[in-house]
């Protein structure tokens, strides 16, 4: 397969190094405007489907880590960067057989900027569905497992990565229900732009569908994880469909629960809703499109 060395992103935005830096600075300004303190918030760059040169542009910025949803892609990217930082730019003259990567030799302007041999070893976060058969392969590369929501997943991680850092993913729809129970407010009173979608998904998720541990199960799962020797760093969630009110409710409740359990990390907020997350107390943002695309 011919390697794609175009410096245009797959979603139509221009992905030059300068463009990414400018968008990163814009994100920082929005964080401050939303009431956040940059020193208290970790920005994790989601690189799912991104090309190699886009990732090298990112690791020159003060992001706290890179994240991917797919096991094989994360491993390939981590290996590529590891090899890239060990070898002189012009000697590293090979490419993966995929359009998601290009060699540093094929993009000389990055070769001169990046500084081959620097200690460019970003921390990798896994944010996708955890498949137990993939854990052994991922374990050497993953610094933080962000999407743990079952005990069997935690056991698999503990078996191959003793003392690993994890976050528990909490079901966003249950967080909204928890908010309503706690505030004695009816969900039907909330102003949702997509109420039909929200209530349909609420029904599915609260019947045990994938998408995070239920709030009532957190205490037991936290105790079980503690017994495995894993390091529980915090909680995470993905905002539910339904508009501002339900997003804010889910974020407020995740922040409340993170504090209740005395955990340092509250991972919530993506490109479309990170400003809401900042207002609710997020300490970790998972950003992709807002860094790579001008739209």
């Amino acid at each position: 397969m011919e390697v794609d060395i175009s410096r245009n992103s797959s979603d139509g935005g221009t992905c030059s190094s300068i463009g990414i830096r400018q968008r990163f600075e814009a994100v920082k300004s929005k964080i401050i405007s939303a009431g956040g303190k940059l020193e208290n918030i970790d920005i994790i760059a989601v690189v799912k489907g991104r090309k190699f040169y886009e990732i090298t542009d990112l690791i020159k910025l003060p992001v706290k880590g890179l994240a991917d949803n797919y096991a094989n892609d994360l491993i390939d990217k981590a290996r590529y960067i590891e090899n890239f930082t060990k070898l002189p730019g012009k000697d590293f003259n090979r490419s993966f057989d995929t359009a998601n990567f290009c060699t540093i030799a094929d993009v000389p302007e990055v070769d001169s900027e990046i500084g081959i041999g620097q200690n460019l070893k970003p921390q990798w976060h896994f944010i996708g569905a955890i498949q137990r058969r993939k854990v052994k392969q991922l374990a050497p590369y993953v610094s933080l497992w962000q999407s743990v929501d079952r005990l069997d997943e935690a056991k698999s991680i503990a078996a191959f990565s003793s003392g690993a850092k994890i976050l528990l993913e909490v079901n966003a729809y249950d967080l909204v229900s928890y908010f309503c129970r706690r505030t004695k407010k009816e969900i039907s009173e909330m102003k949702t732009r997509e109420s039909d979608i929200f209530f349909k998904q609420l029904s599915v998720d609260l019947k045990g569908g994938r998408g995070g541990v239920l709030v009532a199960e957190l205490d037991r799962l936290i105790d079980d994880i503690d017994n495995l020797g894993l390091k529980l760093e915090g909680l995470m969630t993905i905002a539910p469909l339904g508009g501002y009110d339900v997003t804010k409710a889910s974020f407020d409740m995740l922040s409340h629960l993170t504090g209740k359990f005395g955990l340092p990390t509250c991972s919530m907020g993506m490109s479309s809703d990170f400003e809401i997350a900042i207002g609710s107390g997020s300490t970790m943002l998972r950003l992709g499109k807002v860094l790579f695309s001008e739209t």
Side-chain angles (χ1 to χ4, degrees), residues 121-139:
K121 295 183 179 180
Q123 292 190 351
W124 283 94
H125 295 207
F126 188 69
I127 58 175
I130 296 173
Q131 298 174 290
R132 285 176 289 168
R133 61 187 176 86
K134 294 286 189 179
V135 169
K136 182 178 180 180
Q137 298 169 269
L138 280 166

Side-chain angles (χ1 to χ4, degrees), residues 2 8 12 16 18 24 26 63 70 86 106 109 127 145 166-167 179 192 202 215 223 243 270 289:
E2 183 179 354
N8 290 326
S16 68
I18 294 175
F24 185 76
V63 296
Y70 301 117
K86 289 179 180 178
D106 287 327
E109 65 267 34
I127 58 175
W145 303 78
I166 68 169
L167 302 181
F179 168 85
T192 64
L202 174 68
V215 174
D223 287 342
M270 300 192 298
K289 184 176 181 180

